[in-house]
Amino acid sequence: MADRTFGVADGLAVDFESAVFTNTFGGHPLVAAADALGLAERMTERLFRAYYAEGLNIGDPDTLRRLAADVGVPSNEDNAVELQAELDRSRRLGVTSVPLFVFDDGTSLSGAQSEAIFLQVLESPSAA
């Protein structure tokens, strides 16, 4: 049984039982396209609401086109090709989790990290 209080304190309606588990790759090019228009946050919120609250299949191309239209983002399959190339490059570099932070000295942090770890990297002599 899902925790029905999850997200309530933050004003989120989350219904894990209605979520359609699917490959969410198709949403990522929409967020990239939305970013170019200054709409990345709105597009991301729309995708999350569709997935977690509305039980929509965000792996379905027709659903994705409708969600993009809701936000005012043109659906462009070319973005998916570019994104896949970037994901392939990241995998070749050994990236296995997000977020990924790469610092000027080449140091990288992948996955969830504590503030102490960030502070350690930022204060290291090689970061200067």
Side-chain angles (χ1 to χ4, degrees), residues 18 70 81 108:
S18 294
D70 288 352
V81 172
S108 65

Side-chain angles (χ1 to χ4, degrees), residues 12 31 34 39-54 58 67 71:
L12 301 174
V31 174
L39 298 171
E41 187 173 341
R42 285 185 56 204
M43 188 73 248
T44 302
E45 287 177 4
R46 185 64 189 103
L47 289 165
F48 272 74
R49 189 171 66 250
Y51 186 80
Y52 287 109
E54 299 170 8
I58 63 169
L67 296 174
V71 177

Side-chain angles (χ1 to χ4, degrees), residues 34-119:
D35 187 45
L37 301 171
L39 298 171
E41 187 173 341
R42 285 185 56 204
M43 188 73 248
T44 302
E45 287 177 4
R46 185 64 189 103
L47 289 165
F48 272 74
R49 189 171 66 250
Y51 186 80
Y52 287 109
E54 299 170 8
L56 298 178
N57 180 351
I58 63 169
D60 175 64
D62 290 333
T63 299
L64 289 171
R65 279 190 284 279
R66 186 169 50 80
L67 296 174
D70 288 352
V71 177
V73 175
S75 181
N76 180 351
E77 278 72 32
D78 291 342
N79 291 340
V81 172
E82 293 171 20
L83 180 60
Q84 186 62 58
E86 185 63 23
L87 288 172
D88 292 342
R89 185 178 80 81
S90 296
R91 287 187 183 109
R92 285 192 305 276
L93 293 172
V95 176
T96 58
S97 63
V98 293
L100 173 68
F101 297 90
V102 179
F103 297 87
D104 288 343
D105 69 348
T107 301
S108 65
L109 295 174
S110 183
Q113 301 291 331
S114 69
E115 290 176 16
I117 297 294
F118 277 98
L119 188 58

